[in-house]
Amino acid sequence: MSITTFIPKDILDIPAEEFDAPLFQALMEYVRLNPARFHMPGHKKGAGIPPEVAQTLRESILAMDITETRGMDNLHSPSGCIKKAQDLAAQTFGADRTWFLTNGTTAGVHAMIMVTCKQRQKIIIPRDAHLAVIGGVILCGLRPIFVYPDIDPEWGISLGVRPEAYEEALTEHPDAKACLITRPNYYGIAEDLTPLVEACRKRDIPLLVDEAHGPHIHFHEDLPPSALDYGASMVVQSTHKMLGSFTGSSMLHMKGTSSRIYPDRVQRMLAILQSTSPSYLLMMSLDIAATVMRKRGHQLMARALALSQRVRDKLKGLPGVRVLERPSMDRLKLTVSMINLGLAGFDLKNKLIDEYNVRVELADLENVIAFITYADTEETVDALANALTAVAREAYEKATRHGNGLNGVKADKHLQRGAIGTQAIFTRHLFAPAEQRLLPREATLAAHELVSLERAEGRTCAEVVAPYPPGIPLLYPGEVIDAGKIGVIDEALSLGAVFRGLNAEGDLMITVVRE
């Protein structure tokens, strides 16, 4: 017997002009604009979901928003349909155990850290780690040991941390309890993990991998191997970024056996970190995404790679246009620069939106990144290529007419909009070491005060300060704020960067430990 409850029409019949729900209205406006989407989530407004499944979702999505009731299992103690779905996902992605995450990859990163480390212990992390990593360090009260990535001088982006740097850190800190690496990064750079896996295995130290940007790379030989393929201990992936699940849904994977990692402890930590009312819609979307990849993963990745190559071919030879190409990278991340034409990444992103209704995932001081997924079509990638071509031709004509746009920035100069070398300068400041006065947890929980950024030199930072995206901290809690980082924040803001951890109401303020 099914029960339908009818609410009297006059109660819920709110005229559209009176329904002033700001977020709903903004989303409806975005839907109305119908832009070409080259940002997450990877399903691209449902195009990456099987048609019959998508139709069922359209018809039943509200009815599927349920809670733990009979027959629907429990995420925090799975034994039925959720367990079966997680077990199938583990088979699909090459893991031994898989857990669904409804609080995003952040919850998975925190769980990996909480499972492997205890208060005041050391963890080795890259300076280009996502702010979710420092969140785990704060929660556990850990002492971070930083290793520093190489920087591509031409593109100004992280190339990842060399295995030798991890080896040196492991030798200098034999009491470290875990190693964490981010791979691939936002730009798709994915270095060989073999040396680091072997170094950690030799010392019986868990290798934790933030593979937020790589849930798809396992499924095609022309993409870099996944961390699970290498045998990393624990790997967390943002399934929604490049595959078909809903935003905020991710997976945590475990591979092999370790004397330091117990599956029941992982389950307990996730029960602490995730809501006791997890979204069945998010879990269902993870199940759908895993099933799609299990049935058609290689075929779909081949399609996506062909579409990415189509854009690259169309952009080849355009004067002043560069497309990132490296031997070991995820080619579904399309990084484009027109800095040789004097066009900053933020300006390129805005022109694509304002003039061509094309939206990319990220802009930095010189580049933009477009995410191409299996849900794209020749029509969508042609819209991207045509928009980039039109902007490039306009910028080239302007640059040649006025004789500008081809000037670099010297290393000792301040950041300049549209100048070659600006991103490299910013990245060097982003990854620069800083004096650590307090542990991150100590600084986060200490008494705080707000001070103007210009007067913050020498004070102890009490909050994560990070350009977002990509969410890599410039300052960690407990670090001493120096003049170089103050200057680069100020200038990056003036060029269009957006920072988390700053109070921009009135004078620019930053949270520091009260003296």
Side-chain angles (χ1 to χ4, degrees), residues 4 138 178 222 261 269 330 345 418 486:
T4 302
I138 291 168
D222 290 338
I261 302 174
M269 293 304 105
D330 173 10
I486 291 173

Side-chain angles (χ1 to χ4, degrees), residues 494-505:
S494 72
L495 297 183
V498 176
F499 279 81
R500 286 181 58 169
L502 297 176
N503 188 324
E505 296 179 7

Side-chain angles (χ1 to χ4, degrees), residues 93-95 105 108-109 112 130 133 180-186 189-191 193 207-219 224-232 234-243 250-253 330 333:
F93 289 89
T105 291
V109 169
M112 291 194 303
H130 188 269
V133 173
L180 187 143
I181 189 169
T182 303
R183 179 196 176 273
N185 65 16
Y186 229 123
I189 307 298
E191 64 274 27
L193 274 186
L207 176 59
L208 316 178
V209 183
D210 177 357
E211 201 167 70
H213 287 280
H216 58 296
I217 59 177
H218 169 71
F219 296 96
S226 75
L228 290 167
D229 296 329
Y230 283 106
M234 297 186 78
V235 180
V236 63
Q237 299 173 338
S238 294
T239 319
H240 65 94
K241 280 182 168 51
M242 298 293 289
L243 297 182
S250 299
M251 294 187 195
L252 175 60
H253 306 288
D330 173 10
K333 306 292 175 62

Side-chain angles (χ1 to χ4, degrees), residues 278-326:
S279 167
Y280 273 80
L281 300 181
L282 295 185
M283 289 189 283
M284 172 191 64
S285 76
L286 288 168
D287 190 22
I288 292 171
T291 303
V292 167
M293 298 313 292
R294 187 164 59 253
K295 303 292 185 182
R296 299 286 190 273
H298 188 274
Q299 188 177 339
L300 290 170
M301 288 304 107
R303 165 191 167 83
L305 285 163
L307 291 171
S308 177
Q309 188 60 47
R310 182 182 178 93
V311 182
R312 293 169 189 273
D313 289 343
K314 286 178 178 289
L315 299 179
K316 193 176 298 181
L318 281 175
V321 176
R322 293 184 297 142
V323 178
L324 181 64
E325 300 281 358
R326 290 189 63 84

Side-chain angles (χ1 to χ4, degrees), residues 340-343 347 351 390-406:
N340 287 328
L341 301 175
L343 195 60
D347 295 330
K351 287 181 76 69
V391 173
R393 286 175 175 163
E394 178 189 351
Y396 179 76
E397 181 182 343
K398 181 179 178 180
T400 52
R401 184 170 64 245
H402 297 292
N404 60 11
L406 301 174

Side-chain angles (χ1 to χ4, degrees), residues 41 99 106 118 159 168 188 191 198 211 271 321 333 346 366 371 396 458 478:
W99 292 267
T106 295
K118 298 177 182 177
L159 296 177
E168 290 172 10
E191 64 274 27
E198 291 177 353
E211 201 167 70
V321 176
K333 306 292 175 62
F346 298 124
E366 294 190 19
F371 285 4
Y396 179 76

Side-chain angles (χ1 to χ4, degrees), residues 225-505:
S226 75
L228 290 167
D229 296 329
Y230 283 106
S233 307
M234 297 186 78
V235 180
V236 63
Q237 299 173 338
S238 294
T239 319
H240 65 94
K241 280 182 168 51
M242 298 293 289
L243 297 182
S245 68
F246 295 169
T247 298
S249 61
S250 299
M251 294 187 195
L252 175 60
H253 306 288
M254 179 177 171
K255 181 81 169 183
T257 58
S258 170
S259 62
R260 299 177 185 236
I261 302 174
Y262 301 95
D264 61 338
R265 182 170 171 81
V266 178
Q267 187 73 63
R268 291 200 307 274
M269 293 304 105
L270 287 173
I272 293 170
L273 292 163
Q274 301 207 95
S275 170
T276 55
S277 300
S279 167
Y280 273 80
L281 300 181
L282 295 185
M283 289 189 283
M284 172 191 64
S285 76
L286 288 168
D287 190 22
I288 292 171
T291 303
V292 167
M293 298 313 292
R294 187 164 59 253
K295 303 292 185 182
R296 299 286 190 273
H298 188 274
Q299 188 177 339
L300 290 170
M301 288 304 107
R303 165 191 167 83
L305 285 163
L307 291 171
S308 177
Q309 188 60 47
R310 182 182 178 93
V311 182
R312 293 169 189 273
D313 289 343
K314 286 178 178 289
L315 299 179
K316 193 176 298 181
L318 281 175
V321 176
R322 293 184 297 142
V323 178
L324 181 64
E325 300 281 358
R326 290 189 63 84
S328 179
M329 69 171 289
D330 173 10
R331 294 177 59 79
L332 301 186
K333 306 292 175 62
L334 184 77
T335 300
V336 179
S337 172
M338 296 187 191
I339 199 66
N340 287 328
L341 301 175
L343 195 60
F346 298 124
D347 295 330
L348 174 54
K349 177 183 178 181
N350 289 335
K351 287 181 76 69
L352 290 172
I353 294 173
D354 297 337
E355 298 176 21
Y356 299 96
N357 201 24
V358 169
R359 301 204 178 211
V360 294
E361 168 64 24
L362 174 144
D364 61 29
L365 295 168
E366 294 190 19
N367 316 298
V368 297
I369 306 176
F371 285 4
I372 295 172
T373 78
Y374 70 89
D376 278 301
T377 64
E378 290 186 355
E379 289 75 18
T380 63
V381 298
D382 284 351
L384 173 64
N386 293 340
L388 288 167
T389 300
V391 173
R393 286 175 175 163
E394 178 189 351
Y396 179 76
E397 181 182 343
K398 181 179 178 180
T400 52
R401 184 170 64 245
H402 297 292
N404 60 11
L406 301 174
N407 298 318
V409 178
K410 294 181 180 178
D412 58 345
K413 293 287 185 180
H414 294 301
L415 304 184
Q416 297 175 23
R417 194 179 201 96
I420 300 167
T422 299
Q423 181 61 31
I425 294 172
F426 178 75
T427 304
R428 282 197 295 272
H429 282 283
L430 188 64
F431 298 162
E435 178 188 347
Q436 190 176 89
R437 187 174 283 161
L438 295 172
L439 291 183
R441 180 180 176 86
E442 293 171 344
T444 300
L445 299 181
H448 296 162
E449 62 181 334
L450 280 172
V451 300
S452 65
L453 185 63
E454 62 184 16
R455 295 184 178 182
E457 185 177 355
R459 299 296 297 272
T460 304
C461 188
E463 190 171 358
V464 176
V465 177
Y468 201 89
I472 297 170
L474 180 75
L475 284 165
Y476 287 77
E479 291 186 337
V480 177
I481 303 168
D482 62 38
K485 297 210 171 187
I486 291 173
V488 81
I489 290 171
D490 220 10
E491 292 175 6
L493 285 168
S494 72
L495 297 183
V498 176
F499 279 81
R500 286 181 58 169
L502 297 176
N503 188 324
E505 296 179 7

